[in-house]
Amino acid sequence: MADEQKPEGSPATPPPGGEAAAPPAKPATPAAKPAAPKPAAAAHAAPPKPPATMAATPWDSDLAKEIKERFGDHISETSTYLGQSFVVVKPDAAVPLVEYLKLEADFDYLVDVTAVDWPKRAERFDLVYILYSFARNERLRIKTFIAEGFKPETVVNVHLTANWLEREVFDMFGIEFAGHPDMRRILLPEEWQGYPLRKDYGILQQDDRWVKENLGIESGQ
Amino acid sequence: MPDATFLDSTELVLNMGPQHPSTHGVLRVILKLDGEKVLGADCVIGYLHRGVEKIAENRTFAQFNPYVDRMDYVAAISNGLGYCLAVEKVMNVEAPPRAQTVRVILTELNRIASHLLWLGTHALDIGAITPVFYCLREREEALKIFEKYCGARLTTHAFRIGGLLYETYDGFEKDIRDFCTMFLPKVDEYEELLTNNRIWVSRLKDVGILSAEECKEFGVTGPVLRAAGVKWDLRKAQPYSGYEKYDFEIPTRQNGDTYDRYVVRMQEMRQSVRIMQQAVDSLAEGPIMGKVGKVIKPPVGEAYVSIEAPKGELGYYVVCDGATQPYRVRVRPPSFVNLQALDRMIRGGLVADVVAVIGTLDIVLGEVDR
């Protein structure tokens, strides 16, 4: 299981190029492996590849500097990978950062809020905000690492669209957002037990009691 | 509430769906009404939830490819394109030019098929019975091309990571050209039926208005955003699959009402034909599969890739941990996000308008619920 903690700029990696509006893939970048392993034999016998962390490079831009100046210690990383920039921020500063980007830097469209579960890490979840700016035609990911049970502040007051998106994160990961106006499950039934997108929730697992009580069958499988 | 008389009643809660013909699937809307006026709406979704994102973590990259077709099943090809582009991005490979052109042709054809189904059912909801027959007649021609190309009509699984599995069949170019010449006059035909039709106009004009600012607040994209006057289309803003090579326009309108969204989608179908014609003319010989091994194993990393699906911005956020299975696939579904604006759009309107607004949002519940 790869740890998402990246070293500040791996030495062997040249910058992957422009930060925005880049065409889907940049074949000239040697940062990542350009193609999949050569035919079958290699794929089967190959030992695990050496880079266990994401080969991200530091993100140099005016905006990155501004963010660092403004938020100082709260920013733990500003990097770019495959031409996509992201900022890693301390949980407390995530919402102020999103708000700052909306008001001062034209990132007026919150594309998505989602999470990734890393059960072996101390701060178990990645909380990811994907932002877009119509004026700059640029995307930016804000990532923050939170521990289980931590209640991050809601971003609904900045972007209304976060309402359902955060409800889905709560539904799937059990991350409760403080100050959210309507913190209920959205896709699963309200009485459902368990958070399916956590890694310790099995693919065949279900809430047997709910299924039995509401559907009158032993199993939905 | 108990003191209210029927004539001077306060609030009535009306349940609409999940089994209702005009909710386009299993959407349940709890309406709060004052007489015929809508005070608010609460959507209950999830009836079609299949845990697509969970399934992704338990399948290899290639195995998950067919599953994405089952989200927005009326635009399966767009779903597949987005997924393939996202995985290609984390692998840092690109499909060869011929594959990209074929992808553009099929995706645009799928956009037309999706818009046709929307137009037919939307008109049916409003009370115009005829257009649905016309629309499905032309959609059938598009589905036939899909069937000839890959054997499936709806859930096509047309693309593979790295390019295409199938070369085009003999007569593919001719079929596409024939479709284009056949289809343009048909759009005029639909417009003749509807655009200036008095009932159609009075049912749609100034109904379900969503301004550009509201669209941005709610993250609403696609034709809904363009009908509010924002000239934004990912095919132009951040071109993928060679869209920068084609000459086409982004249709926009100003009012952001249901009628404008109708007009925008009609014009989009014409633009799709333009793109298809240019793409088929520029279709050059060449390989159709990029340098992708039999086992797809991207390096550790993550990427967010989005495309302009018929409903709006469809994004895939793929996280890889160096294994043959994705560590996490997040789908950013346009229908789900757009549906959130329903409450804002119908508040203050009439019950009858709810049907018009659900229709104009062009949601597919398979994608809302995933």
Side-chain angles (χ1 to χ4, degrees), chain A residues 1 24-26 33-34 36 82 84 109 111-112 114-115 117 132 137 139 143 160-161 163-164 168 186 196 198-199 201, chain B residues 45-46 53-54 57 89 91-93 217-218 221 232 237-238 293 300-304 306 313 327-328 330 332 340 370:
Chain A
M1 211 64 54
K26 287 228 163 185
K33 231 171 150 292
L82 295 172
Q84 301 186 346
Y109 163 30
V111 181
D112 203 358
T114 189
D117 183 15
Y132 177 81
N137 189 20
R139 270 183 211 293
K143 295 194 345 179
L160 272 177
T161 179
N163 190 328
W164 280 22
E168 192 179 340
I186 187 162
R198 288 187 176 192
K199 288 286 175 186
Y201 196 96
Chain B
I45 57 174
E53 291 171 13
K54 186 75 181 177
E57 294 169 11
K89 177 87 177 170
M91 296 174 75
N92 218 342
V93 293
E217 260 178 59
F218 279 104
T221 44
W232 188 75
Q238 303 193 335
V300 178
E302 55 178 51
Y304 174 81
S306 60
E313 176 175 350
Y327 190 76
R328 168 101 170 95
R330 158 69 182 169
R332 190 266 181 203
Q340 194 178 179
R370 284 157 289 134

Short mmCIF file of all heavy atoms in Angstrom, two decimals, chain A residues 1 24-26 33-34 36 82 84 109 111-112 114-115 117 132 137 139 143 160-161 163-164 168 186 196 198-199 201, chain B residues 45-46 53-54 57 89 91-93 217-218 221 232 237-238 293 300-304 306 313 327-328 330 332 340 370:
data_model
loop_
_atom_site.label_atom_id
_atom_site.label_comp_id
_atom_site.label_asym_id
_atom_site.label_seq_id
_atom_site.Cartn_x
_atom_site.Cartn_y
_atom_site.Cartn_z
N MET A 1 0.85 -1.21 0.00
CA MET A 1 0.00 0.00 0.00
C MET A 1 0.88 1.25 0.00
O MET A 1 1.71 1.43 0.88
CB MET A 1 -0.87 -0.04 1.24
CG MET A 1 -2.20 0.62 1.07
SD MET A 1 -3.29 -0.16 -0.13
CE MET A 1 -3.34 -1.84 0.44
N PRO A 24 -4.47 16.09 -22.78
CA PRO A 24 -4.61 14.98 -21.85
C PRO A 24 -3.31 14.30 -21.43
O PRO A 24 -3.14 14.00 -20.28
CB PRO A 24 -5.49 14.01 -22.62
CG PRO A 24 -6.29 14.86 -23.51
CD PRO A 24 -5.46 16.08 -23.81
N ALA A 25 -2.41 14.04 -22.33
CA ALA A 25 -1.20 13.36 -21.92
C ALA A 25 0.00 14.05 -22.51
O ALA A 25 -0.07 14.66 -23.57
CB ALA A 25 -1.23 11.91 -22.37
N LYS A 26 1.10 13.98 -21.81
CA LYS A 26 2.33 14.59 -22.31
C LYS A 26 3.35 13.49 -22.52
O LYS A 26 4.08 13.12 -21.60
CB LYS A 26 2.84 15.61 -21.29
CG LYS A 26 1.99 16.85 -21.28
CD LYS A 26 2.88 18.07 -21.33
CE LYS A 26 2.10 19.29 -21.74
NZ LYS A 26 2.93 20.45 -21.92
N LYS A 33 6.52 6.32 -16.06
CA LYS A 33 6.85 5.33 -17.07
C LYS A 33 6.04 5.62 -18.32
O LYS A 33 4.82 5.71 -18.25
CB LYS A 33 6.48 3.95 -16.54
CG LYS A 33 7.63 2.99 -16.66
CD LYS A 33 7.31 1.70 -15.93
CE LYS A 33 7.99 0.52 -16.57
NZ LYS A 33 7.50 0.17 -17.87
N PRO A 34 6.66 5.77 -19.48
CA PRO A 34 5.91 6.18 -20.66
C PRO A 34 4.95 5.12 -21.15
O PRO A 34 3.91 5.42 -21.68
CB PRO A 34 6.99 6.48 -21.70
CG PRO A 34 8.24 5.83 -21.18
CD PRO A 34 8.10 5.66 -19.72
N ALA A 36 3.35 0.86 -20.61
CA ALA A 36 3.23 -0.27 -19.71
C ALA A 36 4.34 -1.28 -20.01
O ALA A 36 5.00 -1.16 -21.03
CB ALA A 36 1.86 -0.91 -19.91
N LEU A 82 1.89 15.33 -13.61
CA LEU A 82 1.25 15.16 -14.92
C LEU A 82 0.58 16.46 -15.37
O LEU A 82 -0.48 16.44 -15.98
CB LEU A 82 0.21 14.03 -14.88
CG LEU A 82 0.75 12.63 -14.63
CD1 LEU A 82 -0.41 11.66 -14.41
CD2 LEU A 82 1.59 12.15 -15.80
N GLN A 84 -0.87 18.61 -13.53
CA GLN A 84 -2.00 19.01 -12.70
C GLN A 84 -1.47 19.46 -11.35
O GLN A 84 -0.78 18.71 -10.67
CB GLN A 84 -2.97 17.84 -12.53
CG GLN A 84 -3.51 17.34 -13.86
CD GLN A 84 -4.58 16.26 -13.68
OE1 GLN A 84 -4.74 15.72 -12.61
NE2 GLN A 84 -5.29 15.99 -14.75
N TYR A 109 -15.58 27.88 -9.25
CA TYR A 109 -16.38 26.69 -9.54
C TYR A 109 -15.76 25.51 -8.79
O TYR A 109 -14.63 25.14 -9.06
CB TYR A 109 -16.42 26.50 -11.06
CG TYR A 109 -16.84 25.16 -11.60
CD1 TYR A 109 -17.73 24.33 -10.92
CD2 TYR A 109 -16.39 24.73 -12.84
CE1 TYR A 109 -18.11 23.12 -11.45
CE2 TYR A 109 -16.77 23.52 -13.38
CZ TYR A 109 -17.62 22.72 -12.67
OH TYR A 109 -17.98 21.50 -13.20
N VAL A 111 -15.57 21.91 -8.50
CA VAL A 111 -15.94 20.80 -9.38
C VAL A 111 -16.38 19.59 -8.56
O VAL A 111 -17.38 18.96 -8.87
CB VAL A 111 -14.75 20.44 -10.29
CG1 VAL A 111 -15.12 19.31 -11.22
CG2 VAL A 111 -14.29 21.64 -11.07
N ASP A 112 -15.60 19.29 -7.54
CA ASP A 112 -15.87 18.05 -6.83
C ASP A 112 -15.29 18.08 -5.42
O ASP A 112 -14.29 18.75 -5.18
CB ASP A 112 -15.26 16.88 -7.61
CG ASP A 112 -15.94 15.56 -7.30
OD1 ASP A 112 -16.86 15.57 -6.46
OD2 ASP A 112 -15.59 14.55 -7.90
N THR A 114 -14.26 15.03 -2.72
CA THR A 114 -14.24 13.58 -2.56
C THR A 114 -13.17 13.20 -1.54
O THR A 114 -12.48 14.06 -1.00
CB THR A 114 -14.03 12.88 -3.91
OG1 THR A 114 -14.23 11.48 -3.72
CG2 THR A 114 -12.66 13.12 -4.47
N ALA A 115 -13.07 11.93 -1.27
CA ALA A 115 -12.11 11.47 -0.27
C ALA A 115 -11.45 10.18 -0.76
O ALA A 115 -11.96 9.51 -1.65
CB ALA A 115 -12.82 11.23 1.06
N ASP A 117 -9.42 6.77 1.08
CA ASP A 117 -9.15 6.13 2.37
C ASP A 117 -7.78 5.45 2.33
O ASP A 117 -7.49 4.66 1.44
CB ASP A 117 -10.24 5.09 2.64
CG ASP A 117 -10.06 4.42 3.99
OD1 ASP A 117 -9.30 4.95 4.81
OD2 ASP A 117 -10.70 3.39 4.24
N TYR A 132 -11.98 24.88 -10.14
CA TYR A 132 -11.73 25.33 -11.51
C TYR A 132 -12.01 26.82 -11.57
O TYR A 132 -12.88 27.33 -10.87
CB TYR A 132 -12.66 24.59 -12.49
CG TYR A 132 -12.51 25.06 -13.92
CD1 TYR A 132 -11.46 24.58 -14.70
CD2 TYR A 132 -13.39 25.98 -14.47
CE1 TYR A 132 -11.30 25.01 -16.00
CE2 TYR A 132 -13.23 26.41 -15.77
CZ TYR A 132 -12.19 25.93 -16.53
OH TYR A 132 -12.03 26.37 -17.82
N ASN A 137 -9.04 29.50 -16.72
CA ASN A 137 -9.10 28.19 -17.37
C ASN A 137 -8.06 27.26 -16.73
O ASN A 137 -7.23 26.67 -17.40
CB ASN A 137 -8.88 28.32 -18.87
CG ASN A 137 -9.14 27.01 -19.58
OD1 ASN A 137 -9.82 26.14 -19.06
ND2 ASN A 137 -8.60 26.86 -20.78
N ARG A 139 -7.24 24.37 -13.41
CA ARG A 139 -7.76 23.50 -12.36
C ARG A 139 -6.77 23.45 -11.21
O ARG A 139 -5.57 23.59 -11.42
CB ARG A 139 -7.94 22.09 -12.89
CG ARG A 139 -9.26 21.84 -13.46
CD ARG A 139 -9.39 20.41 -13.90
NE ARG A 139 -10.27 20.36 -15.04
CZ ARG A 139 -11.55 20.64 -14.99
NH1 ARG A 139 -12.11 20.96 -13.85
NH2 ARG A 139 -12.30 20.60 -16.07
N LYS A 143 -5.79 19.33 -1.30
CA LYS A 143 -5.86 18.08 -0.55
C LYS A 143 -5.55 18.35 0.91
O LYS A 143 -4.71 19.18 1.24
CB LYS A 143 -4.83 17.07 -1.08
CG LYS A 143 -5.16 16.67 -2.48
CD LYS A 143 -4.47 15.48 -3.05
CE LYS A 143 -3.30 14.87 -2.47
NZ LYS A 143 -2.84 13.70 -3.24
N LEU A 160 -22.17 26.50 -2.82
CA LEU A 160 -23.40 25.76 -2.52
C LEU A 160 -23.36 24.33 -3.01
O LEU A 160 -23.97 23.43 -2.43
CB LEU A 160 -24.59 26.47 -3.18
CG LEU A 160 -25.26 27.57 -2.38
CD1 LEU A 160 -26.35 28.22 -3.20
CD2 LEU A 160 -25.86 26.98 -1.11
N THR A 161 -22.65 24.11 -4.09
CA THR A 161 -22.63 22.78 -4.70
C THR A 161 -22.06 21.73 -3.75
O THR A 161 -22.30 20.54 -3.91
CB THR A 161 -21.83 22.81 -6.01
OG1 THR A 161 -21.81 21.51 -6.57
CG2 THR A 161 -20.41 23.26 -5.79
N ASN A 163 -22.95 20.99 -0.94
CA ASN A 163 -23.97 20.36 -0.11
C ASN A 163 -24.09 18.87 -0.40
O ASN A 163 -23.83 18.03 0.45
CB ASN A 163 -25.30 21.09 -0.36
CG ASN A 163 -26.37 20.68 0.62
OD1 ASN A 163 -26.39 19.54 1.07
ND2 ASN A 163 -27.26 21.58 0.97
N TRP A 164 -24.45 18.54 -1.61
CA TRP A 164 -24.64 17.12 -1.95
C TRP A 164 -23.30 16.38 -2.01
O TRP A 164 -23.22 15.22 -1.67
CB TRP A 164 -25.35 16.98 -3.30
CG TRP A 164 -26.83 17.18 -3.20
CD1 TRP A 164 -27.50 17.84 -2.22
CD2 TRP A 164 -27.81 16.69 -4.10
NE1 TRP A 164 -28.85 17.80 -2.47
CE2 TRP A 164 -29.07 17.10 -3.62
CE3 TRP A 164 -27.76 15.95 -5.27
CZ2 TRP A 164 -30.25 16.80 -4.27
CZ3 TRP A 164 -28.94 15.65 -5.93
CH2 TRP A 164 -30.19 16.07 -5.43
N GLU A 168 -22.34 13.07 0.06
CA GLU A 168 -21.89 11.80 -0.51
C GLU A 168 -20.61 11.32 0.19
O GLU A 168 -20.46 10.13 0.44
CB GLU A 168 -21.68 11.93 -2.02
CG GLU A 168 -21.50 10.56 -2.64
CD GLU A 168 -21.29 10.57 -4.14
OE1 GLU A 168 -21.66 11.56 -4.79
OE2 GLU A 168 -20.76 9.57 -4.64
N ILE A 186 -26.97 10.24 1.44
CA ILE A 186 -27.66 10.69 0.22
C ILE A 186 -27.97 9.54 -0.72
O ILE A 186 -29.07 9.48 -1.27
CB ILE A 186 -26.87 11.82 -0.47
CG1 ILE A 186 -27.66 12.40 -1.63
CG2 ILE A 186 -25.48 11.37 -0.91
CD1 ILE A 186 -27.19 13.74 -2.09
N PRO A 196 -19.35 2.34 2.85
CA PRO A 196 -18.88 1.39 1.84
C PRO A 196 -17.54 1.72 1.18
O PRO A 196 -16.85 0.80 0.78
CB PRO A 196 -19.99 1.42 0.78
CG PRO A 196 -21.17 1.97 1.47
CD PRO A 196 -20.68 2.85 2.55
N ARG A 198 -14.90 2.89 2.48
CA ARG A 198 -13.73 2.66 3.31
C ARG A 198 -13.11 1.33 2.89
O ARG A 198 -13.81 0.41 2.47
CB ARG A 198 -14.13 2.58 4.79
CG ARG A 198 -14.50 3.93 5.34
CD ARG A 198 -14.73 3.83 6.82
NE ARG A 198 -14.99 5.15 7.39
CZ ARG A 198 -15.01 5.41 8.69
NH1 ARG A 198 -14.80 4.44 9.54
NH2 ARG A 198 -15.26 6.62 9.12
N LYS A 199 -11.80 1.26 3.03
CA LYS A 199 -11.11 0.06 2.53
C LYS A 199 -11.45 -1.19 3.34
O LYS A 199 -11.31 -2.30 2.85
CB LYS A 199 -9.61 0.31 2.54
CG LYS A 199 -9.14 1.27 1.46
CD LYS A 199 -9.17 0.63 0.08
CE LYS A 199 -8.83 1.64 -1.00
NZ LYS A 199 -8.99 1.10 -2.35
N TYR A 201 -14.32 -2.06 4.29
CA TYR A 201 -15.68 -2.50 3.97
C TYR A 201 -15.57 -3.43 2.77
O TYR A 201 -15.14 -3.01 1.70
CB TYR A 201 -16.55 -1.28 3.65
CG TYR A 201 -18.04 -1.51 3.66
CD1 TYR A 201 -18.79 -1.22 4.78
CD2 TYR A 201 -18.70 -2.00 2.54
CE1 TYR A 201 -20.16 -1.41 4.79
CE2 TYR A 201 -20.07 -2.21 2.55
CZ TYR A 201 -20.79 -1.90 3.68
OH TYR A 201 -22.15 -2.09 3.70
N ILE B 45 -32.60 10.30 -3.70
CA ILE B 45 -31.97 9.54 -4.77
C ILE B 45 -31.26 8.33 -4.18
O ILE B 45 -31.24 8.14 -2.98
CB ILE B 45 -30.97 10.43 -5.56
CG1 ILE B 45 -29.93 11.01 -4.62
CG2 ILE B 45 -31.69 11.53 -6.29
CD1 ILE B 45 -28.84 11.77 -5.31
N GLY B 46 -30.71 7.53 -5.04
CA GLY B 46 -29.95 6.38 -4.57
C GLY B 46 -30.62 5.05 -4.89
O GLY B 46 -30.08 4.01 -4.57
N GLU B 53 -18.09 2.96 -7.72
CA GLU B 53 -16.74 3.35 -7.29
C GLU B 53 -16.09 2.24 -6.45
O GLU B 53 -14.88 2.07 -6.47
CB GLU B 53 -16.79 4.68 -6.52
CG GLU B 53 -17.16 5.83 -7.44
CD GLU B 53 -17.44 7.13 -6.71
OE1 GLU B 53 -17.14 7.23 -5.52
OE2 GLU B 53 -18.00 8.05 -7.35
N LYS B 54 -16.91 1.52 -5.71
CA LYS B 54 -16.38 0.40 -4.93
C LYS B 54 -15.98 -0.73 -5.87
O LYS B 54 -14.94 -1.38 -5.68
CB LYS B 54 -17.44 -0.08 -3.94
CG LYS B 54 -16.95 -1.14 -2.98
CD LYS B 54 -16.07 -0.56 -1.90
CE LYS B 54 -15.56 -1.61 -0.94
NZ LYS B 54 -14.65 -1.03 0.04
N GLU B 57 -12.54 -0.49 -7.37
CA GLU B 57 -11.36 -0.83 -6.55
C GLU B 57 -11.13 -2.33 -6.50
O GLU B 57 -10.09 -2.78 -6.02
CB GLU B 57 -11.57 -0.30 -5.12
CG GLU B 57 -11.60 1.21 -5.07
CD GLU B 57 -12.05 1.76 -3.73
OE1 GLU B 57 -12.15 0.97 -2.76
OE2 GLU B 57 -12.31 2.97 -3.65
N LYS B 89 -4.12 9.09 -18.90
CA LYS B 89 -3.40 10.20 -18.28
C LYS B 89 -2.47 9.69 -17.17
O LYS B 89 -1.30 10.06 -17.13
CB LYS B 89 -4.41 11.20 -17.71
CG LYS B 89 -3.80 12.35 -16.97
CD LYS B 89 -3.46 13.47 -17.91
CE LYS B 89 -2.91 14.68 -17.18
NZ LYS B 89 -2.37 15.65 -18.11
N MET B 91 -1.26 6.83 -16.88
CA MET B 91 -0.20 6.01 -17.48
C MET B 91 0.73 6.84 -18.34
O MET B 91 1.75 6.35 -18.82
CB MET B 91 -0.81 4.92 -18.35
CG MET B 91 -1.63 3.92 -17.60
SD MET B 91 -2.42 2.79 -18.74
CE MET B 91 -1.04 1.78 -19.19
N ASN B 92 0.31 8.09 -18.61
CA ASN B 92 1.08 8.97 -19.47
C ASN B 92 1.23 8.42 -20.88
O ASN B 92 2.31 8.44 -21.46
CB ASN B 92 2.45 9.24 -18.87
CG ASN B 92 2.87 10.66 -19.11
OD1 ASN B 92 2.30 11.33 -19.98
ND2 ASN B 92 3.83 11.14 -18.36
N VAL B 93 0.18 7.89 -21.42
CA VAL B 93 0.19 7.49 -22.83
C VAL B 93 -0.94 8.24 -23.53
O VAL B 93 -1.80 8.85 -22.89
CB VAL B 93 -0.03 5.98 -23.03
CG1 VAL B 93 1.12 5.19 -22.48
CG2 VAL B 93 -1.34 5.53 -22.42
N GLU B 217 -22.48 28.72 -8.72
CA GLU B 217 -22.62 28.37 -7.31
C GLU B 217 -22.93 26.89 -7.14
O GLU B 217 -22.41 26.23 -6.25
CB GLU B 217 -23.80 29.14 -6.71
CG GLU B 217 -23.45 30.37 -5.92
CD GLU B 217 -24.73 31.03 -5.45
OE1 GLU B 217 -25.51 30.38 -4.74
OE2 GLU B 217 -24.96 32.20 -5.81
N PHE B 218 -23.82 26.40 -7.99
CA PHE B 218 -24.25 25.01 -7.87
C PHE B 218 -23.35 24.06 -8.65
O PHE B 218 -23.61 22.86 -8.68
CB PHE B 218 -25.69 24.86 -8.36
CG PHE B 218 -26.72 25.26 -7.34
CD1 PHE B 218 -27.40 26.46 -7.45
CD2 PHE B 218 -27.00 24.44 -6.27
CE1 PHE B 218 -28.33 26.83 -6.50
CE2 PHE B 218 -27.94 24.80 -5.33
CZ PHE B 218 -28.61 26.00 -5.44
N THR B 221 -23.08 22.43 -15.04
CA THR B 221 -22.33 22.57 -16.29
C THR B 221 -23.18 22.09 -17.47
O THR B 221 -24.32 21.70 -17.30
CB THR B 221 -21.04 21.74 -16.23
OG1 THR B 221 -21.35 20.47 -15.67
CG2 THR B 221 -19.99 22.42 -15.41
N TRP B 232 -18.87 28.25 -22.24
CA TRP B 232 -17.85 27.35 -21.69
C TRP B 232 -18.18 25.92 -22.07
O TRP B 232 -19.24 25.40 -21.77
CB TRP B 232 -17.80 27.48 -20.17
CG TRP B 232 -16.68 26.73 -19.56
CD1 TRP B 232 -15.36 27.08 -19.57
CD2 TRP B 232 -16.75 25.49 -18.86
NE1 TRP B 232 -14.62 26.14 -18.91
CE2 TRP B 232 -15.44 25.15 -18.46
CE3 TRP B 232 -17.79 24.62 -18.53
CZ2 TRP B 232 -15.14 23.99 -17.76
CZ3 TRP B 232 -17.49 23.47 -17.83
CH2 TRP B 232 -16.18 23.17 -17.44
N ALA B 237 -12.41 24.66 -24.03
CA ALA B 237 -11.61 25.22 -22.93
C ALA B 237 -10.36 24.40 -22.68
O ALA B 237 -9.28 24.95 -22.51
CB ALA B 237 -12.46 25.31 -21.67
N GLN B 238 -10.50 23.10 -22.62
CA GLN B 238 -9.34 22.23 -22.39
C GLN B 238 -9.46 21.03 -23.32
O GLN B 238 -9.83 19.94 -22.90
CB GLN B 238 -9.31 21.76 -20.93
CG GLN B 238 -9.29 22.93 -19.96
CD GLN B 238 -8.95 22.53 -18.55
OE1 GLN B 238 -9.14 21.41 -18.12
NE2 GLN B 238 -8.42 23.48 -17.80
N GLY B 293 0.57 -2.16 -22.57
CA GLY B 293 0.79 -3.58 -22.44
C GLY B 293 -0.51 -4.32 -22.17
O GLY B 293 -1.57 -3.72 -22.00
N VAL B 300 2.50 4.90 -9.43
CA VAL B 300 1.85 5.55 -8.30
C VAL B 300 1.55 7.00 -8.68
O VAL B 300 2.42 7.71 -9.17
CB VAL B 300 2.76 5.53 -7.06
CG1 VAL B 300 2.11 6.26 -5.91
CG2 VAL B 300 3.08 4.10 -6.68
N GLY B 301 0.34 7.41 -8.46
CA GLY B 301 0.01 8.78 -8.82
C GLY B 301 -1.49 8.96 -8.94
O GLY B 301 -2.26 8.06 -8.62
N GLU B 302 -1.87 10.13 -9.34
CA GLU B 302 -3.29 10.43 -9.43
C GLU B 302 -3.52 11.48 -10.49
O GLU B 302 -2.60 12.25 -10.83
CB GLU B 302 -3.81 10.93 -8.08
CG GLU B 302 -3.01 12.12 -7.58
CD GLU B 302 -3.54 12.67 -6.27
OE1 GLU B 302 -3.71 11.87 -5.35
OE2 GLU B 302 -3.77 13.88 -6.20
N ALA B 303 -4.71 11.50 -11.03
CA ALA B 303 -5.04 12.52 -12.02
C ALA B 303 -6.54 12.73 -12.04
O ALA B 303 -7.31 11.81 -11.72
CB ALA B 303 -4.55 12.10 -13.39
N TYR B 304 -6.93 13.94 -12.37
CA TYR B 304 -8.35 14.22 -12.59
C TYR B 304 -8.51 14.62 -14.05
O TYR B 304 -7.84 15.56 -14.50
CB TYR B 304 -8.83 15.36 -11.68
CG TYR B 304 -10.25 15.77 -11.98
CD1 TYR B 304 -11.32 15.04 -11.48
CD2 TYR B 304 -10.53 16.87 -12.79
CE1 TYR B 304 -12.62 15.39 -11.78
CE2 TYR B 304 -11.83 17.23 -13.08
CZ TYR B 304 -12.88 16.49 -12.57
OH TYR B 304 -14.17 16.84 -12.88
N SER B 306 -11.43 15.35 -17.11
CA SER B 306 -12.85 15.50 -17.35
C SER B 306 -13.11 15.80 -18.81
O SER B 306 -12.26 16.34 -19.52
CB SER B 306 -13.44 16.58 -16.46
OG SER B 306 -12.82 17.80 -16.74
N GLU B 313 -19.99 18.48 -17.35
CA GLU B 313 -18.63 18.02 -17.08
C GLU B 313 -18.63 16.66 -16.39
O GLU B 313 -19.09 16.52 -15.27
CB GLU B 313 -17.88 19.02 -16.20
CG GLU B 313 -16.50 18.51 -15.83
CD GLU B 313 -15.65 19.49 -15.06
OE1 GLU B 313 -16.05 20.67 -14.96
OE2 GLU B 313 -14.59 19.09 -14.59
N TYR B 327 -6.66 2.30 -7.09
CA TYR B 327 -6.83 2.43 -5.64
C TYR B 327 -8.14 3.14 -5.35
O TYR B 327 -8.81 2.85 -4.36
CB TYR B 327 -5.66 3.20 -5.03
CG TYR B 327 -5.67 3.16 -3.53
CD1 TYR B 327 -5.27 2.01 -2.86
CD2 TYR B 327 -6.12 4.24 -2.78
CE1 TYR B 327 -5.31 1.94 -1.48
CE2 TYR B 327 -6.17 4.17 -1.40
CZ TYR B 327 -5.77 3.02 -0.75
OH TYR B 327 -5.82 2.94 0.61
N ARG B 328 -8.49 4.06 -6.22
CA ARG B 328 -9.73 4.79 -6.03
C ARG B 328 -10.11 5.39 -7.38
O ARG B 328 -9.25 5.95 -8.07
CB ARG B 328 -9.53 5.92 -5.00
CG ARG B 328 -10.64 6.93 -4.92
CD ARG B 328 -11.55 6.65 -3.73
NE ARG B 328 -12.49 7.75 -3.51
CZ ARG B 328 -13.73 7.76 -3.99
NH1 ARG B 328 -14.19 6.76 -4.71
NH2 ARG B 328 -14.53 8.78 -3.74
N ARG B 330 -12.97 8.04 -8.59
CA ARG B 330 -14.09 8.90 -8.24
C ARG B 330 -14.69 9.39 -9.55
O ARG B 330 -13.96 9.90 -10.41
CB ARG B 330 -13.62 10.07 -7.38
CG ARG B 330 -14.52 11.27 -7.37
CD ARG B 330 -15.84 11.03 -6.66
NE ARG B 330 -16.67 12.24 -6.73
CZ ARG B 330 -17.95 12.27 -6.39
NH1 ARG B 330 -18.56 11.19 -5.99
NH2 ARG B 330 -18.62 13.39 -6.47
N ARG B 332 -17.10 12.09 -11.21
CA ARG B 332 -17.79 13.35 -10.96
C ARG B 332 -18.93 13.42 -11.96
O ARG B 332 -18.73 13.75 -13.13
CB ARG B 332 -16.81 14.50 -11.16
CG ARG B 332 -17.32 15.85 -10.70
CD ARG B 332 -17.97 16.62 -11.81
NE ARG B 332 -18.43 17.92 -11.33
CZ ARG B 332 -19.38 18.62 -11.92
NH1 ARG B 332 -19.98 18.16 -12.99
NH2 ARG B 332 -19.74 19.78 -11.45
N GLN B 340 -28.93 18.87 -8.19
CA GLN B 340 -28.97 19.62 -6.94
C GLN B 340 -29.63 20.99 -7.12
O GLN B 340 -30.19 21.54 -6.20
CB GLN B 340 -27.55 19.78 -6.41
CG GLN B 340 -27.52 20.23 -4.99
CD GLN B 340 -26.11 20.36 -4.43
OE1 GLN B 340 -25.96 20.73 -3.31
NE2 GLN B 340 -25.10 20.08 -5.21
N ARG B 370 -25.18 6.03 -9.48
CA ARG B 370 -23.97 5.21 -9.69
C ARG B 370 -23.96 3.94 -8.88
O ARG B 370 -23.18 3.72 -8.00
CB ARG B 370 -22.71 6.02 -9.41
CG ARG B 370 -22.40 6.99 -10.54
CD ARG B 370 -21.55 8.11 -10.04
NE ARG B 370 -22.33 8.95 -9.19
CZ ARG B 370 -21.92 9.40 -8.02
NH1 ARG B 370 -20.76 9.10 -7.56
NH2 ARG B 370 -22.71 10.17 -7.28
#
